[in-house]
Amino acid sequence: MGTLTAVEQTLSVNDWMNRAAASIEAQADHLTQLDTAIGDGDHGMNMMRGMRAVTAALADGDPDAPPGKRLILAGKTLVSTVGGASGPLWGSALRHGGRALGDTRELDGAALVGVLTAALAAVQDLGAAEPGDKTMVDALGPALATLRERLDAGDPLEAALAAAADAADEGARATTPMQARKGRASYLGERSVGHQDPGATSTALIVRALGSALVAPA
Ligand code: ADP
Ligand code: MG
C-alpha cells in the first residue's frame, strides 16, 4: 500500500443504465422464460422496453445534470414506459434513490449505499414485499447489505461492487425454492416453488452493471 490516500472512485449513472440495458437485452429471452413459468411472460419485454427508453432519455438529457437528477429521470421513464409491476417498482426505486442524492455531483460508495437504501425502501413501501417473498427484494436486499458491509470493512468500491453483485446473484438463485407471496406469481401458490423469480434475476443484472459504471479518479 502506498502512503497516499486513495482517491475515492465514483460511478456514472449513464454508464450504469447503459450497461444494465445491454445486459437485460442480452438476457431478455431468459427473463421472459422465467416469467412464463410463474407469471405472464412479459418480464423480458417489460424491462427491455423500459431500459431502452431510459438510455434514450439519459442520452437526450442535460449533460450537466448531477447523478441524482439522472436517476430521477431514469425512474420516471421506467414508470411511464413499463406496464408490468416491475416498471413502477424499479421506477420508484430509482426516483427515490435519485432524491436521496440531492445535488451531490459525486456518486461514490457511501452515496451509492444511500441510493440503494432509498431504492429498497421505495420498493418495499410500494410493493410490501418482505425478504423471502420471492421478489426483487431478495436480490436487492442482499446486494445492499453486502455493499455496506464491504465498504465499512474498507474494501475499495470495485471489490465491494463485485461482492454485492455476487450477493444479488446468490439472492436471485435462492428464490427458486421459495413460494411467492407477492405479485402475479403468488396466485400460483405452491406451484410457484421450483422456479427462479424473474424480477430478482433482472435485479441481479442491474446490480452487476454497477461494476461497469466506475469512473477512474481524476
Ligand atoms: P407483472 O408481474 O405485472 O407481469 P413483471 O413481469 O414485469 O410484471 O415483473 C414481475 C416481477 O416483479 C416479479 O418477478 C417480482 O420480482 C416483482 N414483483 C412483483 N410484485 C412485487 C412486489 N409486491 N414487491 C416487489 N417485487 C414485486
Ligand atoms: Mg410479468
Side-chain angles (χ1 to χ4, degrees):
M1 290 290 285
T3 48
L4 291 173
T5 310
V7 180
E8 258 254 65
Q9 281 190 301
T10 60
L11 295 152
S12 151
V13 169
N14 288 36
D15 289 351
W16 179 20
M17 292 293 121
N18 289 341
R19 175 51 71 110
S23 84
I24 279 172
E25 189 136 354
Q27 293 292 315
D29 288 348
H30 180 228
L31 296 173
T32 288
Q33 280 165 22
L34 295 176
D35 196 37
T36 300
I38 58 169
D40 56 356
D42 63 355
H43 189 64
M45 206 49 199
N46 283 343
M47 292 302 290
M48 197 164 91
R49 183 188 312 118
M51 293 305 294
R52 274 185 185 163
V54 165
T55 54
L58 287 172
D60 287 349
D62 174 2
D64 285 331
K69 290 257 159 45
R70 291 171 198 258
L71 286 174
I72 291 170
L73 174 61
K76 285 183 175 163
T77 304
L78 280 183
V79 172
S80 62
T81 52
V82 179
S86 54
L89 287 164
W90 257 111
S92 129
L94 294 180
R95 272 195 298 116
H96 283 78
R99 258 192 248 156
L101 280 180
D103 291 327
T104 310
R105 304 224 54 115
E106 304 285 301
L107 181 50
D108 60 11
L112 180 63
V113 167
V115 166
L116 296 182
T117 301
L120 178 61
V123 167
Q124 292 197 270
D125 279 353
L126 187 61
E130 295 297 329
D133 284 351
K134 199 181 183 97
T135 71
M136 57 177 73
V137 167
D138 293 309
L140 192 53
L144 169 59
T146 299
L147 181 71
R148 190 187 275 128
E149 259 168 47
R150 299 294 293 258
L151 290 174
D152 284 351
D155 278 15
L157 184 52
E158 187 172 8
L161 287 176
D166 289 346
D169 279 342
E170 177 99 354
R173 279 197 298 273
T175 62
T176 300
M178 293 174 185
Q179 177 169 334
R181 283 192 289 259
K182 286 288 179 295
R184 223 176 261 286
S186 67
Y187 308 155
L188 291 180
E190 286 177 8
R191 282 182 295 134
S192 65
V193 172
H195 304 277
Q196 186 166 314
D197 179 59
T201 308
S202 59
T203 295
L205 296 174
I206 295 171
V207 172
R208 178 73 64 188
L210 280 163
S212 304
L214 284 166
V215 178

